[in-house]
Amino acid sequence: MPTFITPNRHGYSVRFSPFIKDRLVCATSQYYGLTGGGTLFVLDVAPNGSSIVEVCTYEWQDGLFDVVWSETDPNIVVAASGDGIIHVWDILAPQNPAQTLKEHKKEIYSVDWSQTRQEQLILSASWDCTIKLWDPTRCASLATYLGHSQLVYNAMWSPHIPSCFASVSGDGTLRIWNSGVTQKASIIMKAHDAEVLSCSWCKYDQNILATGGSDGLIRGWDLRSLATPIFEQKGCEYAVRRIQFSPHYLSVLASVSYDFTTRIWDYKASSEAIEIVRHHSEFVYGLDFNNHIEGQVADCGWDSLVHVFTPRSLTSLSSM
């Protein structure tokens, strides 16, 4: 399993490139994000798969909490920082300052680039309780979405429906928005009796998405009938920090948690994890599936480790 150490930096987010199968980017912070600066690492898995090598880095004066690749340019990444700034960075010119977008009043904890070809827009979710919509070619935001009563941890575009996104918050709600309507979310529902830290859309059914909470639960929701969850996954001992549906299997998703684990779930098979991976010694924060390589996962954590691996449970699924 190839591993990369981010020295004196604690991992918050990791994403595979949508263009280059062996490339990924990791957003990190000094001092667990409480103070100090941040570093963005662009990394390549070596051709023989035995190691991860550094391509370039980008330094910032505050912690970096999330990162996403452009869906149109393989050399553009967008990062979110603790001083409320969005950074648009060209990895071909790492010595140049990034384009910065500053409107949020507090930490930005989530950024996402639209998945549908009709639009090329960025969402940012912040501890100032707002979500903002950006065109990366403009200096000012296009819209601000109000309604969450506590900090917004995550906002994610639907991979299927243009102009549709989901958000989750410390107020315990899941909200579904039409980006053209800023005044109020289309759907507002209580998802957990706790803070909701992450959400993910199913890649194979436009009506299904999942939420992960500080209660250690992962719940699945069908937008056509929201009275009760369509599944509930149990087993995480502490908060579920991030979840993601697999791009290759309809009912499979992964999670990372403050219990130092990465877990693989198949909600159609069991309410318990089909595999528990314990290769971190601190909170696990970042998680991503590789769209190009079936079953391959990356994670990162506060122990300064980035791992790229294929869980055994997904190896068996790919051979079926």
Side-chain angles (χ1 to χ4, degrees):
M1 175 181 67
T3 297
F4 184 83
I5 299 173
T6 59
N8 301 313
R9 298 291 188 272
H10 308 290
Y12 268 86
S13 177
V14 63
R15 300 280 186 106
F16 283 105
S17 167
F19 296 96
I20 303 169
K21 68 181 181 67
D22 294 321
R23 179 158 291 179
L24 59 160
V25 62
C26 181
T28 67
S29 298
Q30 280 183 294
Y31 306 114
Y32 306 98
L34 300 175
T35 187
T39 305
L40 206 62
F41 293 86
V42 176
L43 308 169
D44 279 354
V45 179
N48 62 6
S50 63
S51 63
I52 300 174
V53 297
E54 181 183 303
V55 177
C56 57
T57 60
Y58 171 68
E59 304 285 341
W60 186 246
Q61 63 196 18
D62 212 307
L64 298 175
F65 294 143
D66 200 15
V67 64
V68 67
W69 291 91
S70 164
E71 291 288 331
T72 60
D73 187 327
N75 299 307
I76 299 296
V77 291
V78 177
S81 61
D83 50 7
I85 293 176
I86 295 172
H87 309 251
V88 183
W89 181 47
D90 185 345
I91 67 174
L92 293 181
Q95 71 280 3
N96 293 341
Q99 177 191 358
T100 55
L101 306 171
K102 170 66 171 170
E103 287 186 17
H104 283 293
K105 307 301 183 187
K106 294 184 179 180
E107 295 94 329
I108 303 173
Y109 234 52
S110 166
V111 283
D112 195 38
W113 194 292
S114 54
Q115 300 289 303
T116 53
R117 295 184 183 278
Q118 293 92 323
E119 52 197 10
Q120 299 301 324
L121 300 171
I122 298 167
L123 288 172
S124 58
S126 170
W127 284 17
D128 65 10
C129 304
T130 72
I131 305 155
K132 288 183 179 286
L133 179 70
W134 306 84
D135 179 332
T137 65
R138 300 186 183 184
C139 296
S141 66
L142 302 178
T144 300
Y145 305 90
L146 305 172
H148 282 294
S149 61
Q150 294 186 39
L151 53 89
V152 188
Y153 282 105
N154 196 198
M156 299 296 289
W157 290 106
S158 165
H160 308 283
I161 307 167
S163 304
C164 176
F165 67 91
S167 64
V168 293
S169 163
D171 61 18
T173 65
L174 164 68
R175 299 179 187 231
I176 309 298
W177 304 80
N178 178 335
S179 64
V181 181
T182 60
Q183 295 84 357
K184 187 178 179 181
S186 306
I187 297 172
I188 304 172
M189 59 162 299
K190 189 74 170 178
H192 295 253
D193 292 320
E195 292 190 301
V196 192
L197 307 183
S198 182
C199 60
S200 179
W201 293 86
C202 177
K203 307 302 187 290
Y204 291 90
D205 188 326
Q206 68 178 21
N207 295 299
I208 293 177
L209 72 165
T211 54
S214 62
D215 52 9
L217 299 176
I218 299 168
R219 287 177 170 161
W221 307 95
D222 187 325
L223 297 181
R224 295 163 296 189
S225 178
L226 289 167
T228 58
I230 58 171
F231 62 82
E232 183 175 272
Q233 309 302 112
K234 301 178 180 179
C236 291
E237 297 172 35
Y238 298 110
V240 178
R241 183 61 195 88
R242 198 181 293 260
I243 59 174
Q244 190 173 10
F245 270 101
S246 166
H248 299 108
Y249 315 108
L250 184 150
S251 58
V252 170
L253 62 161
S255 68
V256 292
S257 169
Y258 292 168
D259 66 6
F260 306 174
T261 67
T262 300
R263 297 177 191 240
I264 308 299
W265 314 80
D266 183 342
Y267 72 80
K268 289 191 174 181
S270 173
S271 62
E272 298 181 351
I274 59 174
E275 185 174 349
I276 303 174
V277 180
R278 304 181 189 273
H279 56 202
H280 286 281
S281 58
E282 261 290 358
F283 291 174
V284 194
Y285 258 77
L287 171 70
D288 199 22
F289 279 100
N290 192 335
N291 288 338
H292 302 281
I293 301 175
E294 185 175 345
Q296 189 175 78
V297 175
D299 63 21
C300 69
W302 276 11
D303 55 5
S304 302
L305 297 178
V306 180
H307 297 301
V308 175
F309 62 103
T310 301
R312 293 187 306 275
S313 57
L314 299 185
T315 302
S316 61
L317 282 176
S318 64
S319 63
M320 293 174 65

